[in-house]
């Protein structure tokens, strides 16, 4: 299942670094190579939408304002090197992940990528599997399936429709466990009978 794009949540635009870029914007084509101010390739254009050029550096997909891309001797260029772009993206991803990890705790309210209430975090295991409980049952996600929204809410990177489609009903009285928690409990109870728990469909 495809996650909703979260560029606006995870990745800030790199305008500060590129403030001295050429004033005349270069019309970008998907697949074009973009060069740095050292003359070396930064990456290729993956997409162009709403004034943002997404450049695939091989390590990150960096969103660059189109008006900060100019024309150099080798073609389209920006006022930075590949190392600088990747370094800034590394820092932004680390900051976003730190905010996510601080918000991702048991009992935290969750919203969908389209802003709808999606339940609460029921449990998180040592393998970073997360169970979210809602009125319809439970859905099993991974830590990487979450981010913090611009409003500061813990957000699953799926739409409400996607989350609903992957919600599994929990039989009355069933214990809710992640797959890893269920395996551990079954191993402990092997000599005394089955320990039946409920786990959601993984996304």
């Amino acid at each position: 299942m495809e996650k909703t794009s979260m560029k606006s949540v995870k990745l800030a635009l790199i305008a500060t670094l590129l403030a001295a870029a050429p004033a005349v914007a270069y019309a970008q084509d998907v697949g074009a190579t973009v060069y740095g101010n050292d003359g070396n390739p930064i990456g290729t254009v993956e997409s162009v939408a709403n004034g943002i050029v997404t450049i695939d550096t091989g390590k990150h997909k960096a969103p660059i304002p189109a008006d900060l891309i100019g024309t150099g001797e080798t073609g389209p260029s920006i006022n930075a090197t590949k190392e600088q772009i990747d370094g800034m993206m590394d820092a932004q991803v680390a900051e976003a992940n730190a905010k996510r990890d601080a918000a991702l705790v048991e009992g935290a309210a969750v919203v969908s990528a389209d802003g709808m209430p999606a339940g609460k975090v029921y449990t998180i295991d040592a393998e970073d599997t997360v169970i979210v409980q809602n009125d319809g049952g439970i859905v099993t996600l991974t830590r990487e399936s979450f981010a913090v929204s611009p409003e500061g809410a813990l957000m699953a990177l799926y739409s409400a429709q996607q989350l609903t489609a992957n919600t599994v009903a929990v039989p009355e009285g069933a214990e809710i466990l992640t797959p890893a928690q269920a395996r551990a409990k079954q191993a402990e109870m092997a000599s005394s009978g089955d320990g039946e728990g409920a786990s959601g469909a993984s996304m």
Side-chain angles (χ1 to χ4, degrees), residues 81-154:
T81 64
K82 181 180 186 301
E83 289 72 22
Q84 287 175 312
I85 295 295
D86 279 339
M88 289 194 71
M89 295 297 291
D90 286 341
Q92 290 172 0
V93 169
E95 180 181 1
N97 287 346
K99 290 180 179 179
R100 175 203 64 199
D101 292 345
L104 186 57
V105 295
E106 292 181 1
V110 179
V111 298
S112 64
D114 46 356
M116 302 299 293
K120 292 185 177 181
V121 175
Y122 183 84
T123 188
I124 307 168
D125 70 15
E127 297 181 359
D128 286 337
T129 298
V130 182
I131 288 181
V132 174
Q133 186 175 32
N134 56 47
D135 292 340
I138 59 174
V139 59
T140 301
L141 303 171
T142 63
R143 183 176 295 272
E144 289 71 26
S145 298
F146 292 88
V148 174
S149 74
E151 296 75 27
L154 178 64

Side-chain angles (χ1 to χ4, degrees), residues 184-195:
K185 183 163 186 177
Q186 287 170 354
E188 292 175 0
M189 300 180 66
S191 62
S192 59
D194 293 332

Side-chain angles (χ1 to χ4, degrees), residues 65-80:
D67 59 0
L68 296 183
I69 300 178
T71 306
E73 294 181 359
T74 53
S77 64
I78 58 179
N79 188 43

